[in-house]
Amino acid sequence: MLLTISTAHVPATDLGYLLHKNPARLQTEELSFGKAHVFYPEANVDRCTVAVLLEVDPIALVRGRRGPAGDGRQLQQYVNDRPYAANSFMSVALGRLFATALSGRSKERQELVDISLPLNAKLPAIAAGSGSELVRRLFEPLGYRISTESGLLDETFPDWGESRYASVEIAATTRLRDLLTHLYVLIPVLDNEKHYWVSDDEVEKLLKRGEGWLAMHPEKDLIVSRYLKRQRSLTREALDRLAEETPEIEENQEETRNQEEQQVERSLGLHEQRMGTVLSVLRGLGARRIIDLGCGEGKLLRYLLADPQFEFTLGMDVSWKSLEVAKERLHLDRLPERQKDRIQLVQGSLMYRDQRLSGFDAATVVEVIEHLDAPRLEAFERVLFAFARPMHVVLTTPNVEYNSVFETLPTGQFRHRDHRFEWSRAEFETWAKSIADQYGYEVRFQAVGPQDQMLGAPTQMGIFSRVGGAA
Ligand code: SAH
């Protein structure tokens, strides 16, 4: 069983420091199921690859295990895919060989640990079952590009059909510890071997390794269930505990920060103008089914609910607390039946490809992108424009040029402490046009709020429409 991880980061041999494994040496560890070797097929300044090769000993696996004699499964105990197809043994090996890297520490190069590197991992054999669909569902939401290859079971006998094994390659610019963590959890999920002992502490391991990403993954139910080999009580326990993973402190901070932003902009009544403009654009587009991404406390949702043109609205936000406030403000519990069916709130992250986001006429993204840091913005672009693909996207963000007009805002400071950037009109337009080109949309721009001759308007809006209409 083989896994390779490559990087083209310069110097690529930094990989050795990050993994605590010297590229010049072959290292071998004895594990309960066999041997794990680590070596580097290439270690140059511009490209470095580490390989983890497991020699699984099928006899050691069977030893000590009892089963009914003569039931025809004896041969299968010795001749099976366990030594070859990537499975939970690989996770055990990763945990043992790269414990320090997995926990985000590096003795000699701590500064490297938090840097995103161009990384590429290859698994030459996984028991993918029905093609690459599962690989995509698992890895794409985490921002990976996927390629898979499968072939005939035997080229001399095409009648035998396709092999149920595939080779998989995933690539992303990400931190090495994240890649290792995702592989650690998702390799056993890809492997569908059911008859395998799962102990209680697997729940702990899963939650520990899933921290910060699993709770928000759109396939979390499937991941948890397959990781725990479909043991119902363990699966339930893990899912319940994931549901409790709410970033309470951060959200309180979020609330005060939101107030700050409102104060800066209040003098202009900008918020209301923004909502008004978004609504009139949506009406003009004839949109009926709307998804409001990063809906916050539901300000836009309230307007959408009031206009019968909008047949259905889905509000999505990462913050549970904001959604609770939205629910309260919209009186969702007390709405008449007819109205209730027109709106739904869900918790979710814009970083993750999510089936629930498909099939809408328009998506609104009001004052959200500036809260995302650069690598995440890229994931969001793919989630929205490549996967959800609504007919239209109405997106607003501050125009930084206008900031000097706000008397209470010190020079050089953003309107909101949580903003990762604020763009000039030229920056926003360049970004929006390149996104439109890349994903087959057209984009036009509209200013929102009082216009200054030199500085433009406080809010800028991009209205994207899919080229060629429905398809
Ligand atoms: N659109 C609302 C809220 C804007 S504030 C309005 O105009 O009033 C930005 C919102 O984006 C916050 O509610 C925040 O929780 C949400 N947000 C930030 N990052 C997110 C992410 N990754 N996924 C979903 N929502 C996110």
Side-chain angles (χ1 to χ4, degrees):
M1 189 191 315
L2 180 66
L3 162 71
T4 60
I5 299 175
S6 307
T7 186
H9 158 82
V10 176
T13 39
D14 276 349
L15 194 59
Y17 290 107
L18 279 167
L19 293 170
H20 283 243
K21 294 280 177 278
N22 184 342
R25 289 209 337 253
L26 163 72
Q27 297 181 52
T28 300
E29 286 238 5
E30 297 282 346
L31 299 169
S32 64
F33 52 80
K35 285 186 181 141
H37 308 284
V38 183
F39 58 96
Y40 292 72
E42 56 182 345
N44 305 312
V45 179
D46 50 355
R47 198 174 158 81
C48 183
T49 297
V50 64
V52 178
L53 178 72
L54 303 191
E55 268 187 282
V56 176
D57 174 358
I59 297 169
L61 289 184
V62 178
R63 202 177 295 140
R65 218 194 260 175
R66 281 196 213 120
D71 65 353
R73 276 187 290 163
Q74 279 163 324
L75 182 60
Q76 207 195 338
Q77 288 189 336
Y78 295 99
V79 184
N80 54 46
D81 70 4
R82 298 297 82 194
Y84 313 106
N87 57 44
S88 48
F89 294 140
M90 183 55 85
S91 299
V92 174
L94 292 178
R96 279 285 290 277
L97 297 165
F98 303 140
T100 318
L102 267 165
S103 63
R105 284 177 283 122
S106 170
K107 258 190 233 136
E108 286 159 272
R109 290 280 203 284
Q110 187 59 38
E111 77 284 357
L112 273 178
V113 166
D114 291 317
I115 295 178
S116 293
L117 313 171
L119 294 169
N120 175 309
K122 271 191 211 167
L123 290 160
I126 60 155
S130 51
S132 60
E133 178 57 22
L134 182 61
V135 182
R136 290 188 190 286
R137 280 164 61 195
L138 296 178
F139 285 97
E140 272 186 346
L142 298 166
Y144 293 93
R145 295 180 301 283
I146 321 288
S147 57
T148 60
E149 217 174 287
S150 58
L152 291 174
L153 191 58
D154 189 324
E155 277 167 12
T156 3
F157 302 101
D159 292 353
W160 291 0
E162 292 269 314
S163 162
R164 67 181 198 93
Y165 298 93
S167 88
V168 172
E169 197 172 328
I170 63 168
T173 298
T174 186
R175 302 183 307 180
L176 179 65
R177 63 199 273 200
D178 293 335
L179 172 68
L180 290 173
T181 305
H182 296 148
L183 289 170
Y184 178 97
V185 173
L186 297 178
I187 286 175
V189 172
L190 280 170
D191 179 59
N192 205 19
E193 171 69 41
K194 289 180 219 69
H195 309 289
Y196 189 72
W197 169 249
V198 183
S199 58
D200 285 2
D201 70 352
E202 289 300 329
V203 174
E204 299 306 325
K205 282 188 203 154
L206 174 62
L207 294 176
K208 181 171 157 217
R209 297 289 172 218
E211 203 181 326
W213 63 275
L214 184 54
M216 300 308 293
H217 196 296
E219 298 290 353
K220 74 163 182 255
D221 290 21
L222 175 125
I223 294 171
V224 170
S225 159
R226 283 178 70 138
Y227 184 94
L228 297 169
K229 303 298 171 207
R230 301 201 168 89
Q231 306 246 348
R232 287 242 185 93
S233 63
L234 296 183
T235 302
R236 181 87 330 267
E237 183 196 335
L239 285 173
D240 285 350
R241 286 178 52 192
L242 277 176
E244 286 164 14
E245 223 184 69
T246 42
E248 192 73 40
I249 303 162
E250 267 181 35
E251 286 176 7
N252 287 336
Q253 286 169 357
E254 183 87 23
E255 202 168 49
T256 25
R257 291 198 209 122
N258 277 341
Q259 282 164 5
E260 272 169 33
E261 185 176 30
Q262 282 166 19
Q263 265 161 17
V264 175
E265 295 186 337
R266 182 167 300 145
S267 55
L268 299 173
L270 190 54
H271 206 77
E272 284 64 32
Q273 286 189 47
R274 202 153 43 215
M275 294 304 161
T277 315
V278 172
L279 278 173
S280 63
V281 168
L282 289 174
R283 287 188 189 118
L285 293 170
R288 295 174 189 284
R289 290 172 51 82
I290 318 287
I291 178 152
D292 187 20
L293 298 172
C295 64
E297 299 175 357
K299 294 192 182 108
L300 181 63
L301 299 176
R302 197 151 47 94
Y303 291 96
L304 292 169
L305 198 55
D307 183 338
Q309 169 180 325
F310 305 115
E311 292 171 2
F312 179 71
T313 302
L314 182 70
M316 185 207 240
D317 203 288
V318 76
S319 156
W320 187 253
K321 186 106 182 258
S322 296
L323 290 172
E324 284 295 319
V325 174
K327 202 169 138 199
E328 196 58 39
R329 292 214 176 133
L330 296 163
H331 308 298
L332 281 200
D333 292 339
R334 282 166 280 150
L335 284 181
E337 224 39 61
R338 199 169 32 84
Q339 288 285 69
K340 244 185 212 158
D341 290 341
R342 290 182 51 225
I343 187 153
Q344 202 187 338
L345 299 182
V346 291
Q347 187 183 23
S349 168
L350 292 169
M351 295 328 44
Y352 301 148
R353 178 184 178 180
D354 190 332
Q355 209 57 44
R356 296 174 299 186
L357 307 184
S358 303
F360 288 87
D361 298 329
T364 48
V365 193
V366 178
E367 306 294 286
V368 175
I369 59 166
E370 62 277 9
H371 293 264
L372 311 175
D373 42 40
R376 295 186 164 223
L377 185 62
E378 224 176 276
F380 156 75
E381 292 160 13
R382 280 161 31 85
V383 166
L384 179 56
F385 292 95
F387 298 126
R389 280 191 86 64
M391 287 290 292
H392 309 280
V393 175
V394 181
L395 185 148
T396 76
T397 194
N399 162 21
V400 74
E401 295 164 75
Y402 196 88
N403 282 4
S404 59
V405 176
F406 294 114
E407 282 167 4
T408 53
L409 191 65
T411 312
Q413 195 169 312
F414 292 149
R415 295 182 204 180
H416 192 298
R417 245 189 293 163
D418 192 48
H419 284 180
R420 309 301 155 92
F421 59 84
E422 287 180 354
W423 279 334
S424 66
R425 284 167 294 172
E427 284 169 321
F428 177 56
E429 288 174 19
T430 305
W431 174 79
K433 282 178 185 153
S434 90
I435 295 302
D437 279 346
Q438 204 176 330
Y439 294 105
Y441 282 73
E442 290 166 358
V443 62
R444 61 194 162 93
F445 300 95
Q446 194 168 325
V448 183
Q451 296 232 31
D452 179 279
Q453 242 187 347
M454 298 293 292
L455 308 170
T459 297
Q460 40 190 348
M461 173 187 274
I463 303 156
F464 300 78
S465 297
R466 228 155 66 185
V467 176

